[in-house]
């Protein structure tokens, strides 16, 4: 029976099943345990507290979150628990600072939001940590350093200035221990280079440059130079009425400092080689899957728009996320993805309602596990999904305060679609847009609206 | 017809989204505006194609009826010819023949009915007061709002 175009009624059957696999198979499946949840418990969420970025640093020791209020909160893995496998996913607040403030563009009469769009850590070079954070228009380089000593014994001042006539002898100031203090200071501000809204930043493997991408352009920066940047991709048409495609995500290759990719609103990914030309308008390789004409609808363009693109740690593969699926591409083959995972195909029959309530414009991110075997992405109802590429298995888990007992094992959720489905069962206000996976361990960070959940795999 | 109604509804929703995006914090989002405009384009194409199909069907029906009438009159033509010959002698003083109206029947207004109401949007807290205005003032305000509505249909993105 063909469903009518009027409002469809469908119900989402959700029932829990305990993972009671055979012992042999059980050893190959990961079970996830709850570790911590950060954030307020209030039902009414302040808009400034909405989490908008989550990122582990290169060692996984630090976990940074950005919110809509322009703040960054950095959590540090508890060093005492690193040796205790069961408690290794315990993170405590390390530093909190205001990264971006709301601004006003007087020329265009536009307000610039302070929301943190992306956070990217720099590889550690010395005792201090560095990260890049960006809002719609400005990128900032932050230095996070510890201070646990302070000089004492100055000759001229000990707090207030001394009366120099009372000084009878000189002393050498010495460093004395003090309570640990973490300082965050802006070291560079990269501004006024983007006319459109910045959606991506990515640090190059050369540790000297990084890219920033907005809707129509990608700029290349040097970390030490704030006064200028090089434009390497420009897809702005001569006549804006001819605009058909925008850039939605961009990233540098993890190992090849000359290679970058960017995804577009048409579902196309382009790989560019900076060695070929100064301006990489002409792509070196294009990744595009032929459109399925049978499933064409009003909203085909929207759901095919790339919301995130991520290289694997090895650099051999890349992952793209669109509204309904995750695709794995071999960078040597651009004709079709090598794997496609349907994240929430049950939403396809209800795209009209999702368009009405604006949820169809949500941009979900995705991430790789440290060994590139598993990929993870978020969905609605505070569900997040993991797809095991090796064993061809997927699991749906829920980030909920109801499952907050320490070390409690998360029970996989089984989602089935019946013939009668209610759209009210899909809670579009509870969505997981941002997820992160520890680069060296099976520890994941999942951001709901205003809470950050940390899970670790159960060691067997 | 259902597709036509759905296309109209999607068009109306899309236009309201574009209007709302102008006042949202952070300015116009290019990506989102582009996606909404693509949806509008698809819906508009379907709407116009279904309207054209309906009109074509109406014309086909009308021409079929005319052909049927022509066939009937062709049979009666030999009897009427002497009357026509008499009328041609004094054409100048004949009553002018009622011309067929150039406007297509059934088309009341050129403005699609899926456009939002032309009343200005109020800021939160304001109340609408009906005031007596001169006809010239009302006309200029309507013209202005009509002009502002049209670019949304024809242009994808306002130039930065």
């Amino acid at each position: 029976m063909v469903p009518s175009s009027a409002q469809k009624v469908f119900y989402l059957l959700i029932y829990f099943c305990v993972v009671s696999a055979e012992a042999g198979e059980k050893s190959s499946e990961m079970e996830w345990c709850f570790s911590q949840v950060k954030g307020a418990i209030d039902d009414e969420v302040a808009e400034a507290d909405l989490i908008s970025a989550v990122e582990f640093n290169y060692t996984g020791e630090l976990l940074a979150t950005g919110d809509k209020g322009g703040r960054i909160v950095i959590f540090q893995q508890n060093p005492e628990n690193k040796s205790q496998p069961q408690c290794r996913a315990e993170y405590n607040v390390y530093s909190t600072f205001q990264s971006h403030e709301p601004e006003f563009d007087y020329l265009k009469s536009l307000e610039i939001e302070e929301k943190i769009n992306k956070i990217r850590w720099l590889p550690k070079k010395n005792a201090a940590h560095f990260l890049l954070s960006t809002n719609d228009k400005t990128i900032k380089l932050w230095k996070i350093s510890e201070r646990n000593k302070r000089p004492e014994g100055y000759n001229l001042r000990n707090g207030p200035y001394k009366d120099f006539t009372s000084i009878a002898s000189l002393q050498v100031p010495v460093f004395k221990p003090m309570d640990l203090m973490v300082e965050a200071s802006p070291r560079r501000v990269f501004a006024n280079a983007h006319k459109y809204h910045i959606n991506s930043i990515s640090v190059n493997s050369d540790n000297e440059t990084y890219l920033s991408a907005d809707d129509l352009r990608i700029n290349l920066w040097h970390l030490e130079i704030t006064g200028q940047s090089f434009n390497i991709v420009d897809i702005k048409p001569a006549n804006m009425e001819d605009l058909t495609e925008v850039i939605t995500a961009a990233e540098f290759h993890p190992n090849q400092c000359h290679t970058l990719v960017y995804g577009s609103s048409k579902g196309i990914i382009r790989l560019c080689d900076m060695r070929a030309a100064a301006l990489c308008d002409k792509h070196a390789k294009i990744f595009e899957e032929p459109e399925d004409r049978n499933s064409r609808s009003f909203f085909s363009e929207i759901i095919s728009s790339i919301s995130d693109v991520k290289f694997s740690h090895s650099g051999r593969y890349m992952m793209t996320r669109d509204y309904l699926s995750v695709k794995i591409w071999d960078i040597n083959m651009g004709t079709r993805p090598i794997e496609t995972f349907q994240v929430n195909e049950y939403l396809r029959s209800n795209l009209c309602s999702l368009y009405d309530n604006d949820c169809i414009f949500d941009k979900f991110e995705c991430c790789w596990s440290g060994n590139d075997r598993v990929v993870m992405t978020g969905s609605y109802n505070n569900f997040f999904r993991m797809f095991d590429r090796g064993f061809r298995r997927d699991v749906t888990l829920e980030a909920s305060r109801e499952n907050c007992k320490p070390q409690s094992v998360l029970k996989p959720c089984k989602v089935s679609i019946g013939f009668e489905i209610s759209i009210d069962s899909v809670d579009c206000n509870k969505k997981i847009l941002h997820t992160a996976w520890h680069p060296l361990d099976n520890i994941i960070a999942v951001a709901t609206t205003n809470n950050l959940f940390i899970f670790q795999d159960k060691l067997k | 017809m259902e597709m036509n109604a759905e296309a109209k509804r999607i068009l109306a929703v899309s236009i309201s989204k574009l209007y709302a995006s102008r006042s949202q914090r952070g300015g116009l989002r290019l990506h989102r505006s582009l996606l909404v405009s693509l949806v509008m384009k698809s819906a508009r194409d379907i709407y116009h194609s279904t309207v054209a199909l309906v009109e074509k069907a109406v014309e086909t029906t009308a021409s079929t009826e005319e052909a049927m009438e022509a066939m009937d009159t062709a049979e009666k033509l030999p009897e009427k010819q002497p009357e026509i010959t008499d009328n041609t002698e004094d054409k100048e003083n004949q009553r002018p023949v009622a011309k067929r109206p150039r406007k297509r029947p059934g088309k009341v207004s050129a403005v699609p009915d899926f456009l939002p109401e032309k009343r200005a949007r109020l800021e939160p807290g304001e109340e609408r007061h009906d005031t007596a205005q001169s006809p010239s003032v009302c006309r200029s305000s309507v013209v202005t709002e009509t002009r502002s509505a049209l670019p949304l249909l024809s242009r994808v993105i306002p130039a930065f």
Side-chain angles (χ1 to χ4, degrees), chain A residues 222-235:
Chain A
H222 193 281
L223 286 166
E224 299 291 332
I225 300 169
T226 60
Q228 63 180 12
S229 66
F230 292 101
N231 175 241
I232 52 175
V233 174
D234 189 344
I235 64 168

Side-chain angles (χ1 to χ4, degrees), chain A residues 5 296-301, chain B residues 1-11 37-55 114:
Chain A
S5 60
R296 186 147 181 83
S297 70
F298 284 118
F299 311 106
S300 296
E301 286 95 355
Chain B
M1 289 304 294
E2 284 184 2
M3 184 68 92
N4 190 17
E6 183 69 10
K8 266 172 55 174
R9 193 191 73 81
I10 290 175
L11 266 169
S37 66
L38 290 172
V39 172
M40 275 177 59
K41 188 173 172 240
S42 303
R44 185 191 63 185
D45 292 342
I46 291 176
Y47 174 79
H48 284 308
S49 62
T50 51
V51 166
L53 278 173
V54 166
E55 287 178 354
F114 50 75

Side-chain angles (χ1 to χ4, degrees), chain B:
Chain B
M1 289 304 294
E2 284 184 2
M3 184 68 92
N4 190 17
E6 183 69 10
K8 266 172 55 174
R9 193 191 73 81
I10 290 175
L11 266 169
V13 169
S14 302
I15 290 174
S16 65
K17 286 186 191 298
L18 281 175
Y19 270 124
S21 65
R22 287 182 160 190
S23 58
Q24 73 181 15
R25 198 163 168 254
L28 203 65
R29 296 277 161 181
L30 189 64
H31 180 204
R32 184 188 158 114
S33 302
L34 176 66
L35 295 177
V36 171
S37 66
L38 290 172
V39 172
M40 275 177 59
K41 188 173 172 240
S42 303
R44 185 191 63 185
D45 292 342
I46 291 176
Y47 174 79
H48 284 308
S49 62
T50 51
V51 166
L53 278 173
V54 166
E55 287 178 354
K56 196 176 179 182
V58 167
E59 282 184 8
T60 307
T61 309
S63 63
T64 307
E65 290 176 355
E66 285 179 4
M68 294 292 289
E69 290 177 2
M71 285 172 64
D72 292 339
T73 54
E75 293 174 357
K76 299 176 186 175
L77 194 60
E79 301 173 358
K80 286 188 178 177
Q81 276 181 350
E83 296 177 3
I84 294 172
T85 308
D86 295 336
N87 290 335
T88 54
E89 293 179 354
D90 193 10
K91 272 189 179 177
E92 289 182 358
N93 294 325
Q94 292 291 325
R95 188 165 48 124
V97 177
K99 291 183 181 178
R100 186 180 172 186
R102 296 175 70 179
K103 202 170 186 180
R104 286 185 180 172
K107 202 162 188 179
V108 178
S109 168
V111 178
D113 56 355
F114 50 75
L115 281 179
E117 192 183 345
K118 291 178 181 177
R119 303 177 79 184
R121 192 182 61 177
L122 297 178
E123 296 296 325
E126 287 185 359
E127 294 180 358
R128 191 179 296 280
H129 299 286
D130 293 330
T131 57
Q133 291 182 352
S134 62
S136 60
V137 172
C138 285
R139 193 168 298 124
S140 64
S141 64
V142 166
V143 167
T144 304
E145 288 178 357
T146 307
R147 282 182 185 161
S148 65
L150 284 177
L152 285 173
L153 295 175
S154 61
R155 295 177 57 187
V156 173
I157 306 293
F160 279 76

Side-chain angles (χ1 to χ4, degrees), chain A residues 176-220:
Chain A
K176 291 193 176 175
M178 58 177 271
D179 292 337
L180 179 66
M181 191 168 66
V182 180
E183 293 178 327
S185 57
R187 306 300 292 179
R188 303 277 188 276
V189 178
F190 306 91
N192 304 319
H194 285 280
K195 210 173 185 181
Y196 303 96
H197 296 96
I198 296 173
N199 52 57
S200 308
I201 51 174
S202 177
V203 182
N204 203 345
S205 55
D206 61 9
N207 294 335
E208 288 187 356
T209 57
Y210 75 95
L211 66 82
S212 59
D214 64 25
D215 293 318
L216 296 178
R217 298 187 178 101
I218 300 177
N219 293 336
L220 180 69

